[in-house]
Amino acid sequence: MKTYIVGNWKMNLTVGESSIYLQKLLKRIRPAKGIEVAVSPSLIAIQPLRMQLDKNNSKVKLVAQNFYHRDYGAFTGEVSVSQLRGLVNYAIVGHSERRYVFGETNKDLKQKVAAAIRNGITPILCIGETENEKNFGETADVLRDQLLGGLSEIDAEDVKKVVIAYEPVWAISSNKGARLAAPDEIAESIKLIRNELKETYGKETADETPVLYGGSVNPNNAGAYLTIPGVNGLLIGGSSLVSDHFIDIIELAKRLRA
Ligand code: 13P
């Protein structure tokens, strides 16, 4: 299984800044076997970055942060995943900011996962409990609900085509009072996720579905998080905005695989 290092830039960086960042990344990183490097810029930067990448033989993949589940039609202001075909390789679905700031529910998200699969774009389905849910002992229920809810509209054989990202909401750096997740806490949730996949879709799917971790990852803790059993990579927010930090984490991932 590959190791995924994915930078989620959220609503940061202008088109020009995104392009300079990518230029630096392309110059500094060498393609490495088994390492998938991807960045998720703002939607308006996707097309220019795609053109920049094509000229440079893409060792960096592009990820959409969001999209609408219908392929086309009268949906003013929306962008469909079918319009993103050929531009991105991945699309994030159900990031906690989409769930809690924009009110997206499992009903919306299962349609997005299905739309991405239908259009040949790999969905990165984010799941994770809030601090309150964790304190009330509801983590397992929340993870099951978000995982199986998000996957419920696709065929069982397509589940392996989805990347799961475990992002505990309480560990995301931009949230008030965020704290670093201990590797043990993450390991426990990753186990729950893989068990749930195994019970519902079988062992092969549970073993072959990539599961990433995200939440306050930085160059100092990335090594500890990447070596948690069952973790296949990282989804990085704040730290990915500093290209040197993102590159440090990529280098670290390469060393760990070597
Ligand atoms: P931080 O790395 O800033 O905590 O963000 C994580 C995240 O939300 C990535 O999608």
Side-chain angles (χ1 to χ4, degrees):
M1 177 118 50
K2 288 189 240 182
T3 300
Y4 296 78
I5 305 295
V6 184
N8 176 9
W9 297 349
K10 309 190 179 182
M11 199 177 70
N12 296 292
L13 306 185
T14 63
V15 174
E17 288 165 345
S18 303
S19 168
I20 291 166
Y21 183 120
L22 185 63
Q23 201 176 355
K24 187 164 171 188
L25 200 56
L26 290 170
K27 209 156 126 193
R28 296 258 309 269
I29 63 166
R30 303 254 163 282
K33 211 170 148 240
I35 307 278
E36 182 87 329
V37 175
V39 293
S40 192
S42 171
L43 191 59
I44 46 165
I46 295 234
Q47 166 77 353
L49 295 201
R50 173 83 273 146
M51 289 168 75
Q52 203 174 332
L53 277 174
D54 284 344
K55 280 187 254 148
N56 282 284
N57 186 9
S58 90
K59 54 187 169 187
V60 176
K61 302 291 193 296
L62 290 181
V63 186
Q65 294 177 17
N66 184 38
F67 59 86
Y68 190 57
H69 71 273
R70 297 281 291 269
D71 284 349
Y72 57 88
F75 304 104
T76 301
E78 294 296 319
V79 170
S80 73
V81 73
S82 77
Q83 292 175 309
L84 290 163
R85 283 174 85 138
L87 297 176
V88 300
N89 307 86
Y90 299 90
I92 298 174
V93 176
H95 190 281
S96 58
E97 287 143 24
R98 297 301 319 169
R99 292 179 192 265
Y100 302 115
V101 183
F102 298 98
E104 292 187 11
T105 63
N106 282 342
K107 186 170 166 277
D108 303 306
L109 301 172
K110 68 180 180 185
Q111 292 176 306
K112 292 192 182 204
V113 169
I117 293 286
R118 178 169 80 235
N119 282 284
I121 289 171
T122 303
I124 302 178
L125 174 64
C126 297
I127 61 175
E129 78 284 4
T130 62
E131 188 176 18
N132 269 345
E133 289 163 344
K134 182 177 173 69
N135 293 342
F136 283 112
E138 293 168 0
T139 300
D141 287 343
V142 170
L143 294 183
R144 182 185 311 111
D145 180 57
Q146 294 184 352
L147 178 72
L148 301 184
L151 297 173
S152 61
E153 195 105 332
I154 58 171
D155 293 339
E157 65 263 30
D158 285 334
V159 171
K160 280 185 266 186
K161 298 180 190 161
V162 179
V163 173
I164 307 297
Y166 171 56
E167 295 208 320
V169 182
W170 48 269
I172 294 179
S173 68
S174 51
N175 290 339
K176 215 170 127 218
R179 67 169 179 89
L180 280 184
D184 282 358
E185 293 175 284
I186 300 167
E188 209 174 298
S189 293
I190 300 288
K191 221 191 232 168
L192 286 170
I193 294 166
R194 292 216 184 266
N195 276 341
E196 214 48 67
L197 287 171
K198 187 171 158 194
E199 274 180 26
T200 313
Y201 301 103
K203 186 174 179 321
E204 196 187 303
T205 298
D207 291 345
E208 290 179 18
T209 303
V211 183
L212 318 185
Y213 171 71
S216 297
V217 174
N218 62 44
N220 296 324
N221 60 29
Y225 290 155
L226 274 174
T227 45
I228 296 168
V231 168
N232 305 111
L234 303 169
L235 182 53
I236 309 158
S239 215
S240 77
L241 290 171
V242 182
S243 55
D244 284 342
H245 291 178
F246 191 59
I247 292 165
D248 283 349
I249 297 171
I250 296 167
E251 293 304 329
L252 181 72
K254 279 192 204 167
R255 287 200 296 279
L256 287 172
R257 274 192 85 104

